[in-house]
């Protein structure tokens, strides 16, 4: 509840410039008191509407009861409705430009009716009492270049489920239940962050949340906006960062959504060659329109500033940067220079990242960008896009191609595992094995691996160890840590029952050991973007499919030597070259941590083009980690 709300001349000016960064405090539905009456202030942008009114539970959905008044030339409509209250459902009833009748959900609504309902729900976003002060005070000190990031990618609706009460009950966990279960699991495993899919409201479960209709509303599938804030709060109190998937690339055509909002193209381009994705059947935002840019940038700030989220993973960046993305000749329009770069989207990213990161030190903006676009993580003032980090799709594709091969053929594809180091410092990377890799008949991670079940698990342990020692932040999709056998489906929970079987327990324990090792040793993260932090011992042992490398700590203490064998062949006579004549302490092998580390002394014997070396009997699919 607050002071009398109205859409002022200053609001109109800033919104028209695209710089009204807390516009969500004005547009939408806000409980307040006016002339001593409790009620709700409503405001909506519908520049080409003939008229707009609010319909809802408070007026029996009567289209005549609460007409809105147009304020200023920009096309914002406002009204105050006494007696409307938190929890009531509502929509905007719009007579469109061509006289059509439209019933639209609130683009700035903070809560929505549970699907299949499509109305917005009045919420009060100001009445949550945060308890994560310690986290928020320390957040500005977080530095994604220098600090560890091990991200657990989670789809909340299918991580865990309750027994369904009836066929209409999807068995979802509430945000509050999820907070407690997820925090306990993530802490135990050693992840530093969770990345949540499908949080913004969306009509269709099968879109996984990538076709958004309520950008300012955490989905009601798992509870209210207060429940959502509780989850973030609780994760923070358990020292876990929260990243959300965010989808500014496109939106669906659902009748209650943003498409054709007032009978004209408001949020999208009018020309279908600019305003539609033929492959996805969705609309493309008009990034050149200030009010549209404002809608999206303020939305990013809403999640980070109002909901305390620590970062956004921006989906489908490539589809925004290229005008011809997924399009044939004649289906797109070139820019003023005659090429395929979306100049307005480039400016949008620079503006977005500069504002979000400039106002919120210690947060991250992560690009899911699948091409070789230069300087995605370069500074905006130097011609970059200004992202903090970029998903390393090149590494992921090569890595998975290699791991799928029968070990016999890996020797001919050795460069797939080493090539990524030729461009490892061109951007600031996250190594990802995301939900996209375990759907659409691509197989689960464990079933991508060659061999019998036991061999698949050994392969996967070696693969995860290699991923951990390769420079870059880490992301694993839920279920991959214990060897989920089936592909992921949003319709069912993960196959947790597999943890009754020893191979899956062993894999989970191995991943846990790797993650705790990752956060313990600065050598594994502090030098991710420093060429001095990584060194191959032998990158060319293709015939035996063995890789050896060193990760160096910025303090020079607790450097790590790593060896991995990607064939089932034991190498009892294996010898490894080392950087210095020191003692090398074996702390972990393919079975996990050693209770008592074993010491190996380097001798003056040339190996791997180095003066010093030592013998280590390397088993098939062996993993060895030494500190020195």
């Amino acid at each position: 509840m607050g002071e009398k709300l109205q859409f002022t001349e200053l609001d109109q000016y800033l919104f028209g410039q695209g710089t009204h960064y807390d516009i969500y405090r004005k547009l939408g539905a806000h409980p307040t008191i006016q002339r001593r009456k409790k009620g709700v202030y409503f405001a909506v942008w519908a520049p080409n509407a003939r008229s707009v009114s609010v319909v809802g539970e408070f007026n029996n959905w009567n289209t005549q009861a609460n007409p809105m008044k147009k304020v200023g030339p920009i096309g914002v409509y406002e009204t105050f409705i006494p007696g409307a209250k938190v929890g009531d459902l509502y929509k905007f009833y719009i007579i469109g430009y061509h006289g059509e009748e439209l019933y639209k959900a609130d683009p700035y609504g903070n809560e929505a009716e549970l699907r299949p309902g499509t109305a917005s729900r009045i919420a009060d976003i100001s009445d949550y009492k945060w308890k994560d002060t310690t986290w928020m005070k320390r957040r500005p000190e977080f530095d994604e270049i220098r600090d560890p990031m091990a991200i657990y990618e989670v789809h909340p609706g299918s991580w865990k489920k309750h027994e369904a009460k009836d066929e209409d009950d999807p068995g979802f966990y509430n945000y509050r239940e999820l907070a407690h279960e997820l925090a306990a699991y993530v802490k135990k495993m050693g992840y530093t962050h969770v990345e949540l899919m499908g949080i913004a409201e969306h009509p269709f479960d099968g879109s996984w949340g990538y076709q958004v209709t309520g950008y300012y509303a955490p989905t009601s599938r798992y509870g209210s906006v207060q429940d959502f804030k509780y989850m973030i709060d609780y994760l923070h109190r358990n020292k876990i960062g929260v990243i959300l998937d965010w989808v500014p690339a496109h939106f669906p055509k659902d009748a209650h959504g943003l498409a054709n909002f007032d009978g004209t193209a408001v949020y999208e381009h009018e020309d279908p060659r600019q305003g539609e994705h033929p492959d996805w059947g969705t609309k493309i935002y008009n990034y050149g329109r200030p009010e549209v840019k404002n809608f999206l940038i303020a939305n990013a700030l809403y999640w980070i500033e109002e909901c305390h989220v620590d970062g956004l993973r921006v989906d489908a960046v490539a589809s925004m940067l290229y005008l011809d993305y997924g399009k044939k000749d004649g289906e797109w329009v070139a820019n003023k220079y005659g090429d395929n770069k979306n100049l307005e989207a480039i400016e949008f990213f620079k503006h977005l990242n500069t504002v979000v990161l400039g106002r919120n030190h210690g947060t991250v903006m992560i690009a899911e960008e699948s091409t070789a676009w230069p300087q995605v993580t370069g500074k905006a003032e130097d011609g970059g896009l200004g992202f903090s980090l970029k998903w390393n799709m090149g590494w992921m594709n090569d890595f998975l191609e290699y791991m799928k091969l029968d070990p016999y053929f890996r020797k001919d594809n050795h460069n797939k595992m080493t090539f990524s180091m030729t461009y490892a410092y061109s951007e600031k990377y996250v190594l990802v094995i995301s939900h996209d890799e375990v759907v659409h008949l691509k197989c689960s991670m464990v079933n991508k691996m060659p061999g019998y079940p036991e061999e698949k698990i050994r392969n996967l342990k070696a693969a995860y160890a290699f991923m951990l020692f390769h420079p870059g932040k880490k992301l694993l999709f839920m279920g991959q840590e214990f060897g989920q056998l089936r592909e992921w489906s949003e319709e069912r929970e993960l196959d947790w029952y597999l943890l009754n079987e020893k191979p899956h327990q062993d894999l989970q324990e191995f991943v846990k050991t790797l993650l705790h090792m990752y956060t313990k040793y600065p050598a594994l993260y502090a030098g991710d973007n420093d060429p001095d932090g990584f060194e191959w011992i032998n990158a060319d042992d293709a015939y035996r499919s063995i890789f050896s490398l060193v990760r160096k700590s910025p303090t020079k203490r607790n450097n790590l030597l790593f060896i991995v064998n990607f064939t089932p062949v034991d190498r009892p006579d294996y010898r490894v070259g080392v950087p210095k004549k020191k003692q090398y302490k074996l702390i972990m092998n393919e079975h996990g941590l050693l209770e008592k580390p074993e010491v190996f002394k380097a001798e003056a014997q040339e190996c791997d083009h180095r003066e010093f070396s030592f013998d280590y009997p390397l088993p098939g699919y062996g993993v060895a980690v030494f500190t020195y």
Side-chain angles (χ1 to χ4, degrees):
M1 299 285 171
E3 76 294 349
K4 181 183 176 189
L5 284 171
Q6 63 188 97
F7 208 79
T8 63
E9 280 187 23
L10 179 60
D11 292 325
Q12 293 178 55
Y13 172 75
L14 292 172
F15 189 44
Q17 296 290 305
T19 56
H20 197 320
Y21 298 130
D22 55 358
I23 185 73
Y24 58 85
R25 297 191 190 285
K26 284 292 175 81
L27 292 179
H30 303 281
T32 184
I33 296 171
Q34 292 194 12
R35 297 193 205 87
R36 297 198 194 156
K37 285 188 175 154
K38 277 188 177 182
V40 175
Y41 170 82
F42 294 89
V44 65
W45 177 54
N48 300 309
R50 290 193 188 177
S51 69
V52 186
S53 63
V54 188
V55 294
E57 293 185 313
F58 39 80
N59 64 15
N60 261 337
W61 304 93
N62 178 348
T63 57
Q64 309 302 310
N66 296 104
M68 301 180 81
K69 188 169 111 256
K70 191 173 185 177
V71 276
I74 205 159
V76 168
Y77 289 78
E78 67 176 4
T79 192
F80 173 73
I81 304 180
K85 61 187 187 305
V86 170
D88 287 348
L89 295 175
Y90 70 99
K91 277 189 180 181
F92 294 114
Y93 170 71
I94 299 172
I95 301 292
Y97 182 71
H98 306 287
E100 59 273 67
E101 292 185 84
L102 305 163
Y103 287 87
K104 291 288 188 179
D106 184 351
Y108 288 85
N110 298 121
E111 228 170 271
E113 185 181 10
L114 181 60
R115 53 107 181 87
T118 56
S120 300
R121 190 183 293 282
I122 299 167
D124 186 353
I125 58 169
S126 65
D127 73 348
Y128 183 80
K129 301 283 180 284
W130 289 95
K131 299 186 189 73
D132 62 350
T133 322
T134 308
W135 175 275
M136 293 302 282
K137 271 192 184 143
R138 287 194 185 144
R139 182 160 87 174
E141 296 161 18
F142 177 77
D143 176 0
E144 71 279 2
I145 306 302
R146 207 184 52 223
D147 292 326
M149 280 184 90
I151 304 166
Y152 188 49
E153 188 191 26
V154 176
H155 177 265
S158 58
W159 183 64
K160 284 187 176 175
K161 287 191 173 212
H162 293 300
E163 282 283 310
K165 296 184 194 72
D166 55 53
E167 59 193 37
D168 295 330
D169 172 25
F172 294 137
Y173 273 51
N174 177 281
Y175 288 119
R176 291 174 190 259
E177 296 175 287
L178 199 65
H180 289 257
E181 294 259 341
L182 200 52
Y185 185 74
V186 163
K187 258 170 99 163
K188 178 185 89 172
M189 288 299 293
Y191 295 98
T192 62
H193 291 71
V194 292
E195 180 175 305
L196 300 173
M197 292 167 61
I199 292 297
E201 193 58 84
H202 51 286
F204 175 49
D205 290 15
S207 78
W208 310 333
Y210 289 107
Q211 297 205 0
V212 177
T213 47
Y215 275 78
Y216 286 83
T219 176
S220 53
R221 285 168 179 80
Y222 322 125
S224 69
V225 67
Q226 268 74 19
D227 296 336
F228 174 71
K229 287 181 174 180
Y230 177 90
M231 177 178 69
I232 307 291
D233 202 356
Y234 188 82
L235 287 164
H236 282 172
R237 284 184 281 148
N238 283 277
K239 301 189 173 68
I240 298 159
V242 184
I243 297 161
L244 293 193
D245 249 345
W246 189 59
V247 193
H250 62 128
F251 58 92
K253 295 177 182 175
D254 295 64
H256 68 287
L258 299 174
N260 213 29
F261 190 75
D262 61 7
T264 66
V266 175
Y267 289 89
E268 68 271 42
H269 278 278
E270 200 167 351
D271 184 337
R273 294 174 303 166
Q274 295 168 289
E276 299 214 11
H277 270 303
D279 286 356
W280 299 340
T282 53
K283 297 280 191 184
I284 300 173
Y285 282 103
N286 180 350
Y287 304 106
R289 190 165 193 176
E291 300 90 346
V292 174
K293 273 191 297 198
N294 201 146
F295 170 77
L296 290 169
I297 293 171
N299 183 243
L301 293 168
Y302 169 77
W303 294 113
I304 285 173
E305 294 177 359
E306 177 65 39
C307 299
H308 291 201
V309 164
D310 304 294
L312 299 174
R313 174 265 192 190
V314 184
D315 181 59
V317 168
S319 76
M320 296 168 67
L321 292 172
Y322 298 96
L323 294 164
D324 57 349
Y325 184 91
K327 295 181 176 184
K328 303 183 185 73
D329 286 350
E331 290 182 347
W332 61 284
V333 181
N335 66 24
K336 62 185 179 188
Y337 303 116
D339 69 27
N340 68 342
K341 292 184 180 67
N342 189 335
L343 305 175
E344 292 165 343
I346 295 166
E347 274 317 304
F348 166 75
F349 282 132
K350 292 179 180 183
H351 186 168
L352 168 77
N353 291 325
T354 308
V355 169
V356 171
L357 300 171
R359 283 170 52 137
N360 300 282
H361 297 292
T363 60
V364 290
M365 295 293 284
I366 305 171
E368 189 241 337
E369 200 284 315
S370 50
T371 72
W373 188 280
Q375 282 195 275
V376 172
T377 56
K379 290 193 172 106
E381 56 269 31
D382 302 335
L385 296 181
F387 283 97
S388 323
L389 297 160
K390 168 179 161 155
W391 274 23
N392 195 336
M393 315 290 270
W395 170 83
M396 183 264 305
N397 284 316
D398 288 346
F399 171 76
L400 293 180
E401 285 304 310
Y402 180 87
M403 289 311 306
K404 284 179 202 166
L405 291 166
D406 182 296
Y408 180 79
F409 296 110
R410 285 178 178 162
K411 60 181 182 292
D412 305 320
N413 292 269
H414 196 75
N415 67 318
K416 280 198 168 33
M417 296 293 259
T418 57
F419 179 65
S420 55
M421 285 312 299
T422 63
Y423 61 84
Y425 307 108
S426 62
E427 299 276 10
K428 300 173 186 83
Y429 283 116
V430 187
L431 305 186
V432 292
I433 304 173
S434 76
H435 65 277
D436 272 330
E437 307 321 310
V438 292
V439 289
H440 302 323
L441 305 180
K442 291 182 190 171
C443 293
S444 64
M445 272 305 281
V446 76
N447 278 325
K448 290 185 203 297
M449 302 296 126
Y452 292 112
E454 186 242 357
E455 265 191 295
K456 288 177 183 293
I457 297 266
R458 289 169 71 194
N459 264 290
L460 198 48
K461 283 182 174 179
Y464 286 157
F466 183 87
M467 176 182 183
L468 196 94
F469 275 81
H470 188 293
K473 308 302 166 194
K474 322 294 173 198
L475 178 143
L476 264 189
F477 182 57
M478 61 182 202
Q480 299 177 356
E481 74 278 14
F482 62 78
Q484 166 91 4
L485 293 174
R486 294 190 287 179
E487 284 192 350
W488 170 63
S489 163
E490 81 285 349
E491 293 179 3
R492 55 172 188 254
E493 73 166 13
L494 296 180
D495 295 334
W496 294 102
Y497 61 81
L498 291 171
L499 286 168
N500 298 324
E501 297 171 22
K502 189 150 184 355
H504 294 278
Q505 288 169 15
D506 286 349
L507 177 62
Q508 186 192 43
E509 193 57 36
F510 186 80
V511 171
K512 178 176 148 186
T513 302
L514 284 176
L515 290 169
H516 283 281
M517 176 182 285
Y518 171 69
T519 48
K520 180 179 172 181
Y521 289 98
L524 290 173
Y525 57 80
D528 273 347
N529 298 289
D530 177 1
D532 291 341
F534 174 93
E535 188 183 336
W536 287 113
I537 295 290
N538 191 340
D540 303 317
D541 196 349
Y543 180 72
R544 297 188 296 183
S545 299
I546 296 171
F547 299 84
S548 50
L549 59 94
V550 162
R551 292 298 304 270
K552 290 178 257 184
S553 163
T555 61
K556 306 284 184 269
R557 292 179 54 208
N558 280 330
N559 300 315
L560 296 168
L561 165 67
F562 172 69
I563 307 165
V564 60
N565 177 3
F566 280 114
T567 71
V569 181
D570 294 341
R571 303 288 177 187
D573 56 347
Y574 181 72
R575 192 167 193 90
V576 63
V578 290
K580 293 191 164 80
K581 190 180 183 184
K582 295 258 179 197
Q583 290 194 345
Y584 292 79
K585 208 190 287 183
L586 179 69
I587 56 168
M588 181 180 179
N589 64 18
E590 61 282 357
H591 303 296
L593 282 180
L594 273 66
E595 278 183 30
K596 193 166 172 235
E598 204 179 328
V599 176
F600 292 78
K601 284 186 179 150
E603 307 155 332
Q605 182 174 337
E606 201 272 341
C607 179
D608 295 327
H609 307 295
R610 291 163 194 272
E611 281 181 66
F612 305 104
S613 62
F614 65 82
D615 281 322
Y616 176 73
L618 186 65
Y621 299 122
V623 169
V625 181
F626 304 83
T627 60
Y628 69 94

